Amino acid sequence: MSAHKTTALVTGASAGLGREFCRQLAGSCEVIIAVARRAEALHALAAELEGRAEVHCVEADLASVEGVARTMEALRQQGPVDYLVNNAGFSTYGGFGDLPLEGQRQMISLHIDATVTLCRAAIPFMRELGGGAIINVSSLVTMAPGKDVAVYGATKAFLNYFSQAIQQELAGTGIRVQALCPGFTRTEFQDVMGSYGFDKSRVPDEFWMDTEEVVRESLAALASDDVLVVPGE
């Protein structure tokens, strides 16, 4: 049997924080399982990381049962994983009573159902390895609930509670769990929010962070006892 290769599974890997997690984890991981909907962007990432890590591209929509199943199969074939980064996500913007329900339900499926499923799949193998790290990408919006992102904020608040609870359950196993709560970050996420009417120009420059900073602080915080991590704090 071949020796275990240090492996990370990153969702939402085609852009933004997910892509940056792949870049920075490539320094310590031999294998990256990169999951996202856009195959072309995934293969571009794999080309970028060639020579630094073995990248397996998994084209999957984690808001769907099929996409979760495809990702679980990749985890089974290429795992076990030492790092699990549940980053895939999106948000709508507007009053809950005015927005289509389907988008809200997709957020619940993606942020909650997919995260819970992948965590449940990864944890037993991390126990066997004697440790590992799980990063669930949450949001600073959970600290102060507000209008126009009701379901998005609620799903991220779930991740905070879930991450804190399973960290308590996993005490002494060597597994570190983190809920990463970034604020305004320069990614495509904000551009998508703009299509719903969010005006990012109204946010002062000093409130913004780059993906490199956010990911660097997240990975550094794995050495601490902090579960809720707010970059730039």
Side-chain angles (χ1 to χ4, degrees):
M1 182 180 292
S2 60
H4 171 67
K5 294 180 179 180
T6 307
T7 302
L9 188 151
V10 180
T11 70
S14 61
L17 289 173
R19 181 171 58 195
E20 187 58 30
F21 267 111
C22 291
R23 287 170 173 160
Q24 294 194 29
L25 285 170
S28 55
C29 291
E30 299 165 272
V31 178
I32 304 286
I33 306 170
V35 183
R37 293 179 301 168
R38 294 179 292 177
E40 185 176 346
L42 287 175
H43 290 297
L45 174 67
E48 177 188 339
L49 298 181
E50 187 174 1
R52 295 180 57 203
E54 176 186 325
V55 179
H56 296 271
C57 301
V58 180
E59 183 183 358
D61 180 0
L62 286 167
S64 70
V65 173
E66 179 187 7
V68 172
R70 187 175 301 167
T71 304
M72 292 279 283
E73 180 61 18
L75 191 155
R76 186 188 69 81
Q77 290 187 6
Q78 306 301 332
V81 296
D82 302 85
Y83 294 85
L84 171 62
V85 182
N86 288 304
N87 165 75
F90 73 97
S91 179
T92 55
Y93 186 76
F96 170 71
D98 301 319
L99 293 169
L101 181 60
E102 183 58 27
Q104 315 305 308
R105 292 177 61 87
Q106 286 179 347
M107 271 191 283
I108 294 169
S109 295
L110 179 57
H111 299 168
I112 297 178
D113 293 351
T115 295
V116 168
T117 300
L118 292 178
C119 285
R120 181 61 183 81
I123 285 172
F125 294 106
M126 286 184 175
R127 280 202 189 103
E128 290 183 12
L129 290 173
I134 297 170
I135 299 173
N136 296 320
V137 178
S138 180
S139 172
L140 189 62
V141 75
T142 60
M143 307 301 176
K147 64 177 186 177
D148 296 327
V149 287
V151 174
Y152 173 80
T155 62
K156 296 299 187 176
F158 173 92
L159 295 182
N160 290 359
Y161 184 100
F162 176 66
S163 299
Q164 291 177 94
I166 61 174
Q167 179 63 93
Q168 291 182 26
E169 294 177 3
L170 294 170
T173 65
I175 301 173
R176 292 288 299 119
V177 184
Q178 178 186 116
L180 177 63
C181 301
F184 295 107
T185 308
R186 293 183 177 92
T187 67
E188 291 180 4
F189 180 92
Q190 306 299 340
D191 297 330
V192 173
M193 289 280 283
S195 68
Y196 287 96
F198 173 70
D199 183 4
K200 64 181 181 180
S201 68
R202 297 176 62 184
V203 181
D205 287 344
E206 59 267 27
F207 288 3
W208 291 89
M209 293 185 72
D210 294 322
T211 56
E212 294 88 345
E213 301 172 90
V214 173
V215 172
R216 185 168 56 249
E217 290 193 28
S218 170
L219 294 177
L222 290 174
S224 74
D225 292 328
D226 297 331
V227 178
L228 296 183
V229 173
V230 181
E233 193 176 44

